[in-house]
Amino acid sequence: MAPRFLADGMLGKLATWLRSLGCDVEYFGDLPDGELVERALRAGRIVLTRDTLLVRRRKARDNHFFVTGDAWRDQLRQVVAAFGIDPAAHLFTRCVRCNEPLVPIEKSRVAGRVPPYVFETQETFNACPSCGRLYWKATHRGAMERQLREILSGP
Ligand SMILES: [Zn+2]
């Protein structure tokens, strides 16, 4: 089963990028440490953290992964390697904002909600069931994929 995570408040950028790989990552910007480790344990999520005090908490001691890099690129590479995440397998299947798995949406239902050029040139759309954000295979995805390949191919 794919690992599920809860990222601490310092790892927002890492959380977003892991979500774009399709990883299930909860993230709260301002959750107190105690609640964070409690919530992770209850939900079967591994705490992703860079906080040396947080990892000493009893409930986090055996339920965390210590992220070492300062830069999110290094952090992403570290987590992907440590958990054997296949970066291509579930790319862009989850809302980067809400962490919700995306669901396909019919093209007719996105009319007027995406730029006309996108509507004319794209056939497949996905939507986030939580925030309604629409996703499609556009050029910025190509750029993101390139960036990801660069990051994950090593320093
Ligand atoms: Zn969303």
Side-chain angles (χ1 to χ4, degrees), residues 95-100 102 128-133 135:
C95 182
V96 296
R97 211 186 280 165
C98 313
N99 195 40
E100 286 288 327
L102 301 178
C128 170
S130 175
C131 73
R133 188 176 180 179
Y135 290 79

Side-chain angles (χ1 to χ4, degrees), residues 94-113:
R94 192 174 287 275
C95 182
V96 296
R97 211 186 280 165
C98 313
N99 195 40
E100 286 288 327
L102 301 178
V103 293
I105 182 170
E106 279 190 40
K107 182 170 176 172
S108 60
R109 292 182 55 206
V110 307
R113 294 169 63 196

Side-chain angles (χ1 to χ4, degrees), residues 6-148:
L6 201 164
D8 82 15
M10 291 187 288
L11 297 173
K13 190 115 190 186
L14 174 65
T16 301
W17 277 90
L18 282 170
R19 285 172 180 172
S20 73
L21 299 183
C23 293
D24 182 344
V25 187
E26 274 198 334
Y27 170 76
F28 306 94
D30 54 359
L31 202 63
D33 287 357
E35 280 177 45
L36 189 145
V37 297
E38 175 78 47
R39 185 183 173 94
L41 202 62
R42 252 199 336 259
R45 292 178 180 275
I46 300 161
V47 176
L48 295 175
T49 186
R50 306 196 57 213
D51 187 334
T52 51
L53 287 177
L54 188 149
V55 299
R56 285 192 218 146
R57 285 176 173 268
R58 189 173 51 81
K59 286 180 176 168
R61 221 173 282 151
D62 300 320
N63 187 46
H64 75 269
F65 178 78
F66 195 76
V67 178
T68 52
D70 282 324
W72 64 266
R73 286 181 169 78
D74 299 329
Q75 297 167 354
L76 185 66
R77 199 183 303 129
Q78 188 196 1
V79 174
V80 165
F83 291 92
I85 294 164
D86 179 350
H90 305 286
L91 198 56
F92 307 123
T93 55
R94 192 174 287 275
C95 182
V96 296
R97 211 186 280 165
C98 313
N99 195 40
E100 286 288 327
L102 301 178
V103 293
I105 182 170
E106 279 190 40
K107 182 170 176 172
S108 60
R109 292 182 55 206
V110 307
R113 294 169 63 196
V114 298
Y117 174 77
V118 170
F119 190 76
E120 280 166 32
T121 53
Q122 302 297 316
E123 291 306 319
T124 311
F125 294 89
N126 289 310
C128 170
S130 175
C131 73
R133 188 176 180 179
L134 295 169
Y135 290 79
W136 60 89
K137 205 173 174 61
T139 47
H140 71 271
R141 277 199 187 178
M144 261 179 93
E145 279 175 19
R146 258 196 313 283
Q147 206 178 349
L148 273 168

